Amino acid sequence: MDPLSSLLSGIRAEGSVVTHAVLRSPWTIRFADRAPLVMVTVLRGGGTLVLADGSATRLIAGDTAIVQACEPFHLADTRAALDRPHMGYELSCFVPHGFGPADLACATPELVETATGAPEETSLVVGAYRASGRRHERLLRALPPVMVVSDDPEVCAWLEQSAADAVRLSAGSQALMDRLLDWALVCTLRTWLAAQEHCAPAWYRGMADAVVGPALEAIHNDPFRRWTVADLAAEASVSRALFARRFSEVMGETPLAYLTEWRMAEAEELLADPNRSVAQVATTVGYADAFGFSAAFKRLRGQSPSEFRSTVRAPALAGT
């Protein structure tokens, strides 16, 4: 286990969609899923990604964009298409048959031919990702609203063929597509994070460090063990002093501060389960008693475990 794997453990694709659209300009596709992450891979054609705040990002064939989609967003042939009459489509991964015309009053789309006589085609693979719990929030804080990774056309061709094969097989086709998109999300995030180099989050950079990496792996493999700095130094096969100094240099915090923060993130997941008492959560995350855990939780989160639990349950009850 490593930090990225831990942060992604609660994120899964659901209802992945393959779209092949032959459209006449101007056109737009509205992405309606309000998901933590939506991934859009452009297989052919391209367009301009426009967020709810108006910011725009141009995508071409071979580009994969990962969008924090708390609000609906658009892909348009040009940014100006949103401001004049156009053929509009809506796409949602979370509803059956979730791709179709969004405004039937618009003119019927027509083929538009390129200089070679072939119609322009926009072809996409889209995955929307639901999240369970709150663990993924630390990952989202490390990402921009839109991140784009450009890939070799051969990789996109492989993805398109794999998606087409998945769709043709009736048994398990949706599950196969969703797992394919889970794989693609991890690969895209790893590529983007690696390209950030020294600007990547500390939890990512630390895994590549000879001293810090083994300790991070140990923490994430067994986050509830009562680790000491000496224990973690032993995992890295260095002295306690060298380990503590190097960890602080790379991670920007002490080993025990990192461990405590990660335990609190895990505690948030456990507190969302009403069948667990605060004392049970405290013991699970490595505290000897509920008092010590509650004090640490309130110091780092600004509210007691019981107060946090009530705030987590309130939205869920409101939706019932």
Side-chain angles (χ1 to χ4, degrees):
M1 186 66 77
D2 61 86
L4 181 58
S5 297
S6 296
L7 295 171
L8 284 170
S9 62
I11 295 180
R12 290 290 181 271
E14 184 172 335
S16 312
V17 173
V18 183
T19 74
H20 298 272
V22 181
L23 306 172
R24 176 174 179 153
S25 298
W27 57 263
T28 69
I29 300 173
R30 179 178 184 268
F31 294 80
D33 294 317
R34 296 171 182 263
L37 293 174
V38 172
M39 187 169 68
V40 181
T41 297
V42 181
L43 304 175
R44 286 186 296 280
T48 298
L49 199 67
V50 183
L51 300 189
D53 65 3
S55 58
T57 303
R58 185 67 185 172
L59 301 180
I60 61 174
D63 286 347
T64 292
I66 295 180
V67 184
Q68 296 191 41
C70 58
E71 297 292 339
F73 62 96
H74 292 81
L75 181 68
D77 62 332
T78 65
R79 174 65 180 83
L82 289 171
D83 303 320
R84 62 176 187 260
H86 60 269
M87 185 62 196
Y89 288 86
E90 182 163 294
L91 187 153
S92 173
C93 293
F94 293 162
V95 299
H97 312 296
F99 181 64
D103 186 353
L104 297 179
C106 290
T108 303
E110 302 175 13
L111 297 182
V112 55
E113 294 192 350
T114 64
T116 62
E120 292 182 352
E121 183 179 69
T122 298
S123 182
L124 312 171
V125 174
V126 180
Y129 299 84
R130 292 191 191 272
S132 59
R134 302 165 60 96
R135 188 180 292 118
H136 68 288
E137 292 175 2
R138 189 170 188 177
L139 171 63
L140 298 187
R141 289 195 295 269
L143 302 178
V146 178
M147 49 160 284
V148 179
V149 171
S150 299
D151 218 328
D152 190 292
E154 291 185 3
V155 175
C156 290
W158 176 86
L159 178 60
E160 182 175 22
Q161 183 60 51
S162 298
D165 290 343
V167 170
R168 278 196 295 267
L169 299 172
S170 57
S173 60
Q174 189 61 66
L176 182 57
M177 269 298 301
D178 290 343
R179 298 297 78 78
L180 177 65
L181 268 293
D182 285 339
W183 171 85
L185 175 65
V186 175
C187 291
T188 303
L189 287 172
R190 287 175 58 173
T191 300
W192 185 84
L193 288 166
Q196 304 310 299
E197 298 180 342
H198 65 279
C199 294
W203 49 259
Y204 180 83
R205 298 195 314 272
M207 286 302 300
D209 188 85
V211 173
V212 176
L216 287 179
E217 184 175 357
I219 288 172
H220 287 272
N221 276 332
D222 192 2
F224 306 143
R225 177 176 164 181
R226 294 179 183 177
W227 293 101
T228 65
V229 175
D231 292 334
L232 294 171
E235 293 289 330
S237 301
V238 296
S239 70
R240 183 184 183 281
L242 188 155
F243 170 74
R245 182 172 65 253
R246 182 60 182 168
F247 193 99
S248 296
E249 289 173 353
V250 173
M251 302 296 291
E253 58 186 333
T254 67
L256 295 185
Y258 180 89
L259 175 61
T260 300
E261 172 60 32
W262 188 254
R263 282 179 176 169
M264 293 302 107
E266 295 294 316
E268 289 179 338
E269 299 285 321
L270 298 174
L271 287 168
D273 180 358
N275 296 317
R276 292 177 182 264
S277 68
V278 172
Q280 288 173 326
V281 172
T283 302
T284 302
V285 299
Y287 285 81
D289 55 64
F291 178 80
F293 164 68
S294 296
F297 191 94
K298 187 167 187 177
R299 184 177 69 253
L300 291 172
R301 294 297 187 259
Q303 56 186 169
S304 70
S306 297
E307 291 169 338
F308 172 81
R309 170 170 278 171
S310 66
T311 62
V312 169
R313 291 187 63 193
L317 292 174
T320 59

